């Protein structure tokens, strides 16, 4: 395995800088690369770092930041060596990175929720009278559990209903979940001495930049009915609920079911609307033109050879598959 590590250091500047600055990690890395990076292994590493996803008291924000960065670095450096040396399968890489994102989101959520409930009290579901969790949606590659080592994560943050928290300094749920979202993102994305975990992007939320960071399900329903655009149907195809939970007695399944009852008819139509196909074709062309424009500013760049955005590239394959999903999905929705 020493040969595998030596080979990786020739290709990865990140790994070389990391081992140069922390040579004590070398022995650990040599041991880690001998076995696949499985979900069980990742959870063992999380436990070693003092992290947990269960209902024990959440760690404070500073500790959370440290744990998820150290975990990410261990996963990342192990995958680098295994991937460069063709030891790791594609499934191993995307499963490990997607689970890392889920863990980071869950831990950041729990740490910030602990701070906010201490300050403002508990948000109570007006129908069930139980504590109300947030609904965190992973979009794009996170939603499809297809993250690679350089992916960012797209999120949409939702909550079940409007109301006011129960504490001595109560605030509206709109403000509460907005604060929760605002405070979670830097825990995951801001760099420090241990680096960052993932770049985060909230622009796929309704109305994008400039709109509230967190949306109630009622507001989401109104938006999808009156303003939802064709490209958003495409984006919502991969939406996946990230399993976050802070309150031991909460029941988030009701709100998740309500969300799915909104998502499914928005994405899938019983009768295919050819406007959707035209819209996706237009979106694809906009992406292509943007790539050509960027490439024109880089001398010597061949736009036809870009494996992601070029003709017949990854993005076009994704479009073809997802158009088929939109067409066929409506028959069974």
């Amino acid at each position: 395995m020493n040969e595998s590590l030596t080979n990786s250091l020739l290709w990865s500047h990140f790994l070389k800088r990391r081992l140069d600055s922390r040579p004590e990690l070398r022995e650990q890395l040599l041991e880690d690369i001998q076995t696949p990076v499985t979900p069980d292994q990742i959870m063992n590493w999380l436990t070693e770092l003092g992290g947990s996803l269960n209902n024990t008291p959440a760690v404070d924000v500073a500790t959370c930041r440290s744990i998820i960065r150290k975990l990410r670095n261990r996963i990342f450096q192990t995958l680098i060596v295994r991937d460069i040396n063709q030891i790791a399968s594609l499934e191993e890489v995307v499963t490990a990175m997607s689970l890392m994102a889920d863990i980071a989101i869950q831990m950041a959520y729990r740490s910030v929720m602990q701070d906010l409930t201490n300050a403002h009290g508990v948000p109570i579901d007006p129908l069930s009278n139980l504590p109300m969790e947030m609904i965190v949606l992973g979009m794009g590659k996170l939603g499809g559990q297809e993250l690679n080592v350089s992916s960012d994560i797209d999120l949409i943050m939702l909550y079940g209903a409007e109301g006011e928290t129960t504490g001595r300094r109560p605030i509206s749920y709109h403000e509460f979940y907005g604060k929760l979202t605002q405070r979670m993102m830097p825990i995951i994305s801001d760099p420090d001495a241990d680096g960052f975990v993932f770049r985060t992007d909230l622009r796929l939320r309704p109305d994008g930049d400039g709109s509230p960071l967190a949306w109630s399900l009622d507001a989401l329903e109104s938006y999808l009915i009156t303003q939802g655009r064709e490209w958003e149907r495409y984006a919502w195809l991969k939406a996946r609920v990230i399993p976050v939970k802070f309150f031991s007695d909460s029941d988030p399944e009701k709100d998740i079911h309500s969300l799915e009852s909104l998502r499914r008819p928005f994405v899938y139509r019983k009768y295919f609307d050819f406007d959707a196909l035209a819209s996706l074709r237009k979106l694809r062309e906009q992406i292509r033109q943007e790539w050509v424009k960027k490439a024109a500013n880089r001398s010597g760049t061949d736009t036809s050879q870009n494996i992601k955005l070029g003709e017949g590239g990854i993005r076009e394959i994704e479009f073809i598959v997802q158009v088929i999903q939109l067409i066929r999905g409506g028959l069974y929705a």
Side-chain angles (χ1 to χ4, degrees):
M1 285 298 175
N2 262 308
E3 183 180 346
S4 296
L5 180 54
T6 301
N7 184 45
S8 301
L9 291 171
L10 297 174
W11 291 95
S12 173
H13 296 301
F14 166 84
L15 188 61
K16 187 175 188 308
R17 288 195 305 269
R18 183 158 174 78
L19 293 186
D20 284 347
S21 63
R22 297 193 58 189
E24 73 277 8
L25 294 176
R26 187 183 185 92
E27 290 305 314
Q28 180 191 74
L29 180 56
L30 285 171
E31 180 180 345
D32 288 346
I33 62 177
Q34 295 183 43
T35 55
V37 183
T38 63
D40 285 345
Q41 181 67 279
I42 291 171
M43 297 310 295
N44 288 337
W45 290 346
L46 176 63
T47 301
E48 288 177 17
L49 290 167
S52 174
L53 303 180
N54 62 28
N55 288 320
T56 57
V59 298
D60 61 68
V61 167
T63 303
C64 175
R65 286 177 62 100
S66 176
I67 288 173
I68 60 178
R69 278 159 178 73
K70 289 176 180 177
L71 179 62
R72 184 262 190 189
N73 286 336
R74 189 168 184 179
I75 293 171
F76 192 58
Q77 67 193 24
T78 306
L79 289 176
I80 285 175
V81 178
R82 290 181 57 80
D83 194 26
I84 287 176
N85 290 279
Q86 300 182 343
I87 304 170
S89 65
L90 174 63
E91 182 181 5
E92 179 183 335
V93 174
V94 298
T95 298
M97 294 307 297
S98 299
L99 177 57
M100 178 65 242
D102 283 10
I103 290 171
I105 292 164
Q106 291 175 69
M107 288 199 62
Y109 172 83
R110 287 170 50 78
S111 293
V112 177
M113 181 66 90
Q114 182 167 262
D115 285 351
L116 286 177
T117 53
N118 287 340
H120 301 291
V122 176
I124 298 295
D125 186 312
L127 294 179
S128 67
N129 210 34
L130 296 174
M132 188 167 66
E133 306 282 2
M134 195 170 212
I135 304 172
V136 180
L137 279 183
M139 309 293 283
K141 283 184 166 53
L142 174 59
Q145 296 179 297
E146 303 161 351
L147 293 182
N148 59 52
V149 294
S150 63
S151 297
D152 58 5
I153 56 175
D154 296 294
L155 300 169
I156 294 178
M157 314 295 276
L158 305 168
Y159 57 96
E162 297 291 0
E164 192 174 78
T165 59
T166 60
R168 293 182 179 179
R169 291 187 292 157
I171 57 176
S172 70
Y173 291 175
H174 174 80
E175 185 177 359
F176 183 91
Y177 290 107
K179 286 178 179 287
L180 179 58
T181 302
Q182 187 177 43
R183 295 183 187 182
M184 281 177 62
M185 297 306 110
I187 297 174
I188 300 170
S189 62
D190 280 5
D192 61 20
D194 290 315
F196 68 99
V197 187
F198 289 97
R199 296 177 297 273
T200 58
D201 193 335
L202 297 170
R203 289 176 295 176
L204 287 180
R205 68 187 186 273
D207 277 340
D209 284 342
S211 71
L213 296 178
W215 285 61
S216 71
L217 290 182
D218 283 347
L220 174 67
E221 179 179 23
S222 176
Y223 174 85
L224 294 180
I225 292 173
T226 61
Q227 300 181 57
R229 290 158 287 185
E230 294 298 337
W231 70 263
E232 288 176 297
R233 292 176 59 195
Y234 167 81
W236 277 74
L237 270 169
K238 286 188 176 181
R240 175 175 65 92
V241 175
I242 308 298
V244 297
K245 188 173 175 66
F246 176 77
F247 304 104
S248 61
D249 54 344
S250 64
D251 182 18
E253 290 303 317
K254 175 182 69 68
D255 287 338
I256 292 172
H257 178 76
S258 296
L259 170 63
E260 182 62 14
S261 70
L262 299 178
R263 186 193 74 91
R264 188 176 290 265
F266 172 68
V267 173
Y268 301 110
R269 309 290 168 83
K270 186 174 182 180
Y271 301 103
F272 182 67
D273 183 355
F274 284 92
D275 287 343
L277 182 58
S279 177
L280 290 175
R281 186 182 290 118
K282 181 179 179 181
L283 177 60
R284 181 264 173 198
E285 183 60 21
Q286 287 174 340
I287 293 172
R288 191 187 71 82
Q289 290 292 344
E290 184 65 22
W291 158 242
V292 170
K293 182 179 177 181
K294 288 181 179 179
N297 296 325
R298 305 174 188 169
S299 59
T301 301
D302 184 351
T303 60
S304 67
Q305 299 301 313
N306 186 281
I307 194 170
K308 180 177 181 180
L309 301 177
E311 299 288 340
I314 294 170
R315 185 57 55 81
E316 287 201 351
I317 295 170
E318 288 179 337
F319 270 118
I320 292 169
V321 171
Q322 288 170 324
V323 166
I324 293 172
Q325 286 179 293
L326 287 176
I327 295 172
R328 299 288 295 174
L331 299 176
Y332 306 102

